[in-house]
Amino acid sequence: MKALSTKDLTKKYGNKTVVNHLNLEIEKGSIFGFLGKNGAGKSTFINMITGLTLPTSGSFEILGEQGDSLHRVRHRIGVLPDYSTFYENFTALEHLKYYSRILRLSLTTNELKEILKQVELEDAINVKTKNYSFGMKKKLGLAQAIINKPELLFLDEPTSGVDANSILNIHTLIKDISAQGTTVFLTSHNLDEVEKLCDDIAIMNKGTIQTKGSMHQLRREYQDNISVYIKHDSISESKQIKLRTELSSLVKNMKVASDHLELFVEDESVIPKINNYLVSEQINIYRLEVEEPSLEEIFLNLGEEKFSA
Amino acid sequence: MFAITWREFTSQFKSIRSIIIILFIFGVTTGSAKLISQFEMQLKDLGLGDNAYVGGLMLLLFVASPLFVTSISHSIVNKEVDSRTIRFLATKTSRQNIILGKFLGNFLFWMFCLVIALLLIVPFSHAFYFSEFIQSVIYVSYFIGLTLFLSTIIRNPSLTMFLGISLSIALPIIGIWGMFTKNFIIKSISYVTPYFYYTQDHTSYTYFVLIFTLIFLVLSLMVFKRRDL
Ligand SMILES: Nc1ncnc2c1ncn2[C@@H]1O[C@H](COP(=O)(O)OP(=O)(O)OP(=O)(O)O)[C@@H](O)[C@H]1O
Ligand SMILES: [Mg+2]
């Protein structure tokens, strides 16, 4: 079953179409990464799904309910919206108490403190949020989103403005939450983060989905080159020349040195062939490294091929 | 919804503005009651009797409560929309609950103030004026509804402050003017102010004012449901 599916979801501001007939399905239990340039429409999309912004047209289904019945599933959803603030004169704990009452959760003070501890705010539980830093507010935003142990969690840039250590903690938290069965939908400009966390991703551009799929699929689709590094015995000049001619049909590009090879192949299926050849030539291999294209490369590829169009 | 109601209600007691207004109402009420009690005999001769105690309070409410309500509640909705604190609420509960919760919280606050004010005159008048209590609650609810509506349709909190205060000065004037004039426009406007209903011979007219409160509430709900937050 799908956690979320949208049908021709559209948002216009005046005559500017910000989200354009968007169709997207999110599998239950997955961590879904939503990428795209500034102004691509990612936040607008999340805001429509979570009831903050009204769609101009189209529809969506969330946790089995139609979008107009969103109120029925609200207690099963957690949201960290893109731009939101806290009551200046309330402490973190007071916020969580208020929100838990609104959600009619019967959480004890200790349970709420535990949630604040999960986002590393245990030292600032009783500090008014007007004295919070940007990153601390982000963490409190995360805390309020997970207060109800949601089945579906929306995180709009959960780690932007957060220090490196805290980012790692948030990643662990997201993974833990996901491991408990929560579907996570997150946006991020940090490609490493998305690559590390997400099972599926979609890249949005100018209100439409440019490409979507699992990380694995996208890698296959957008990889130009797999780079292969092979460290081996020292070999003679003549053997190097032989290697070069023999391998030229298998690889796209290569650099042959006396003790290592740097190869660029188009398809991973040639790697065993290269390996076999080296073995048959009685060259001892010490190390073989294959580097897959990163999300960043995919992203850049997309940018060159299509974004500029 | 009740979580929001409770927060709205209790936050009034933390705001300096509300505290000043509460002290003012209670001060004027007990002060005038004391004053009246010194002239009890003379007032009885004039046929005013016990009603004088509550009469003073009612007059005060009639004139000043629109101003009090707008100055306390003018930004009841748009302040949260403006600062975007509303976003965390709107992802947790329905828009209807937000509006109703806020209305009820303010309504309760005024009920509370009115009960205390009327209780303060009990030692002098030896009676709790129940029907006056109901009428003043209805009267105040009109202005809470109006303020809520303004705060929902207008995004700028300082604009609603200005408009609310202007209206709470203009409405009594138009309402009372409407009783004496034949000017069609003024007269029509006066029908949508509570003053027309509060100056009829029969007090049951005052219950009509509840309809306006309801209309304001429903309009606020309709507008707020269509709003991007
Ligand atoms: N209330 C609004 N009125 C008019 N235009 C808006 C409004 N909100 C957003 N937009 C426009 O919609 C477009 C998409 O904005 P959105 O915030 O969804 O982008 P985003 O993908 O989340 O970008 P970012 O990565 O910067 O967060 C932008 O061009 C923005 O200017
Ligand atoms: Mg955004």
Side-chain angles (χ1 to χ4, degrees):
Chain A
M1 201 179 143
K2 305 280 183 262
L4 172 74
S5 67
T6 69
K7 191 158 188 310
D8 291 327
L9 201 64
T10 301
K11 179 71 183 181
K12 291 183 180 175
Y13 287 111
N15 52 15
K16 187 178 171 200
T17 307
V18 172
V19 174
N20 195 355
H21 295 277
L22 204 118
N23 296 296
L24 192 65
E25 289 187 335
I26 313 289
E27 293 293 334
K28 266 201 175 159
S30 65
I31 303 185
F32 190 93
F34 211 35
L35 297 164
K37 291 199 255 184
N38 293 132
K42 305 178 296 292
S43 299
T44 308
F45 177 80
I46 291 190
N47 292 345
M48 282 195 281
I49 300 299
T50 54
L52 292 176
T53 301
L54 271 86
T56 310
S57 63
S59 60
F60 62 94
E61 204 182 295
I62 184 164
L63 297 175
E65 289 285 346
Q66 285 299 315
D68 9 13
S69 315
L70 185 61
H71 60 274
R72 294 216 193 109
V73 290
R74 227 174 224 123
H75 58 284
R76 294 160 60 196
I77 298 171
V79 190
L80 169 62
D82 60 334
Y83 181 59
S84 39
T85 51
F86 294 101
Y87 303 104
E88 287 198 331
N89 288 313
F90 263 40
T91 66
L93 190 60
E94 283 168 337
H95 273 95
L96 290 199
K97 276 187 179 156
Y98 183 40
Y99 296 142
S100 72
R101 266 186 229 122
I102 288 177
L103 283 162
R104 300 203 203 158
L105 304 169
S106 41
L107 293 172
T108 62
T109 303
N110 278 335
E111 285 167 320
L112 294 174
K113 282 183 180 165
E114 191 51 44
I115 294 173
L116 288 170
K117 205 172 153 191
Q118 285 187 316
V119 296
E120 297 183 314
L121 283 178
E122 63 266 36
D123 295 332
I125 285 172
N126 291 315
V127 176
K128 288 182 178 178
T129 58
K130 67 175 164 198
N131 298 322
Y132 265 37
S133 71
F134 183 85
M136 289 164 85
K137 286 178 189 162
K138 206 73 204 219
K139 292 176 185 175
L140 183 54
L142 199 61
Q144 64 79 38
I146 60 172
I147 189 173
N148 55 335
K149 294 203 169 27
E151 285 167 54
L152 178 53
L153 177 62
F154 292 93
L155 302 173
D156 201 340
E157 300 191 20
T159 54
S160 70
V162 177
D163 69 74
N165 266 331
S166 303
I167 287 180
L168 291 181
N169 175 61
I170 291 175
H171 287 173
T172 313
L173 183 63
I174 291 175
K175 278 188 187 154
D176 287 351
I177 290 170
S178 166
Q180 288 161 24
T182 298
T183 311
V184 183
F185 186 116
L186 65 90
T187 76
S188 174
H189 290 295
N190 180 345
L191 298 175
D192 290 339
E193 166 174 298
V194 173
E195 191 159 13
K196 187 174 141 195
L197 290 176
C198 299
D199 309 307
D200 298 310
I201 66 165
I203 299 177
M204 196 175 186
N205 184 34
K206 292 182 188 146
T208 55
I209 301 281
Q210 185 92 48
T211 185
K212 64 183 166 192
S214 66
M215 269 317 297
H216 185 67
Q217 277 171 339
L218 285 176
R219 278 210 182 96
R220 289 176 63 120
E221 200 171 325
Y222 289 95
Q223 65 191 10
D224 275 346
N225 296 309
I226 305 172
S227 84
V228 183
Y229 175 90
I230 301 173
K231 180 146 170 55
H232 51 70
D233 294 334
S234 247
I235 52 175
S236 64
E237 195 82 28
S238 61
K239 216 162 191 182
Q240 285 180 36
I241 295 167
K242 190 170 176 218
L243 259 184
R244 199 169 277 139
T245 42
E246 289 290 333
L247 290 179
S248 65
S249 63
L250 294 174
V251 306
K252 214 176 148 188
N253 214 333
M254 71 181 119
K255 218 170 111 188
V256 181
S258 64
D259 66 346
H260 71 270
L261 290 166
E262 279 175 52
L263 312 169
F264 291 95
V265 301
E266 265 182 324
D267 189 350
E268 58 189 10
S269 68
V270 305
I271 299 175
K273 289 180 190 160
I274 296 167
N275 184 42
N276 288 343
Y277 174 74
L278 294 178
V279 172
S280 71
E281 287 293 315
Q282 288 168 342
I283 297 171
N284 290 321
I285 298 171
Y286 297 135
R287 204 162 80 212
L288 192 150
E289 284 172 5
V290 179
E291 205 172 288
E292 284 198 278
S294 67
L295 188 54
E296 191 166 346
E297 278 172 67
I298 295 174
F299 206 67
L300 290 174
N301 264 337
L302 264 177
E304 279 159 21
E305 284 171 25
K306 299 181 186 164
F307 281 3
S308 53
Chain B
M1 179 175 85
F2 294 113
I4 297 176
T5 301
W6 181 246
R7 175 167 144 76
E8 284 293 326
F9 179 70
T10 50
S11 69
Q12 300 295 356
F13 297 98
K14 291 176 195 155
S15 125
I16 295 190
R17 204 180 287 158
S18 332
I19 291 169
I20 290 173
I21 287 172
I22 295 173
L23 291 179
F24 179 77
I25 294 176
F26 295 171
V28 171
T29 310
T30 35
S32 58
K34 269 197 188 127
L35 197 72
I36 290 168
S37 68
Q38 280 165 15
F39 298 98
E40 215 172 345
M41 284 305 150
Q42 292 90 324
L43 287 169
K44 275 231 164 72
D45 291 344
L46 288 169
L48 284 169
D50 284 346
N51 282 337
Y53 293 107
V54 74
L57 177 62
M58 288 301 120
L59 192 67
L60 170 73
L61 284 176
F62 221 61
V63 176
S65 69
L67 262 177
F68 292 162
V69 173
T70 44
S71 70
I72 289 180
S73 314
H74 70 275
S75 59
I76 175 171
V77 176
N78 58 12
K79 185 175 166 209
E80 285 213 48
V81 175
D82 199 50
S83 67
R84 306 227 193 180
T85 52
I86 199 97
R87 284 189 151 200
F88 290 125
L89 301 190
T91 55
K92 293 182 175 53
T93 186
S94 67
R95 305 227 175 160
Q96 184 175 312
N97 283 349
I98 295 177
I99 290 289
L100 290 179
K102 282 182 173 285
F103 176 83
L104 272 182
N106 278 256
F107 185 70
L108 275 183
F109 170 75
W110 281 100
M111 289 244 286
F112 173 83
C113 290
L114 291 168
V115 168
I116 299 295
L118 284 165
L119 284 177
L120 284 174
I121 42 182
V122 169
F124 303 98
S125 65
H126 309 290
F128 186 83
Y129 293 90
F130 192 73
S131 125
E132 279 80 0
F133 169 66
I134 296 295
Q135 282 179 36
S136 50
V137 165
I138 295 174
Y139 179 76
V140 166
S141 80
Y142 175 97
F143 287 95
I144 300 173
L146 176 64
T147 314
L148 178 81
F149 178 59
L150 287 179
S151 187
T152 310
I153 55 168
I154 297 166
R155 272 179 178 262
N156 184 339
S158 42
L159 185 59
T160 43
M161 172 90 172
F162 172 76
L163 249 173
I165 287 176
S166 312
L167 274 177
S168 49
I169 293 168
L171 284 183
I173 295 173
I174 293 172
I176 291 165
W177 186 4
M179 289 185 282
F180 304 107
T181 179
K182 291 215 159 48
N183 181 321
F184 179 73
I185 296 170
I186 298 289
K187 222 166 172 72
S188 333
I189 297 177
S190 78
Y191 292 140
V192 298
T193 71
Y195 302 96
F196 172 79
Y197 305 90
Y198 273 79
T199 47
Q200 301 302 311
D201 288 337
H202 212 283
T203 48
S204 57
Y205 274 90
T206 56
Y207 295 106
F208 278 111
V209 173
L210 270 181
I211 296 172
F212 290 106
T213 308
L214 216 65
I215 291 173
F216 286 135
L217 203 53
V218 170
L219 285 178
S220 307
L221 276 173
M222 282 165 51
V223 172
F224 193 62
K225 276 191 175 164
R226 285 159 194 283
R227 167 131 303 166
D228 284 351
L229 298 176

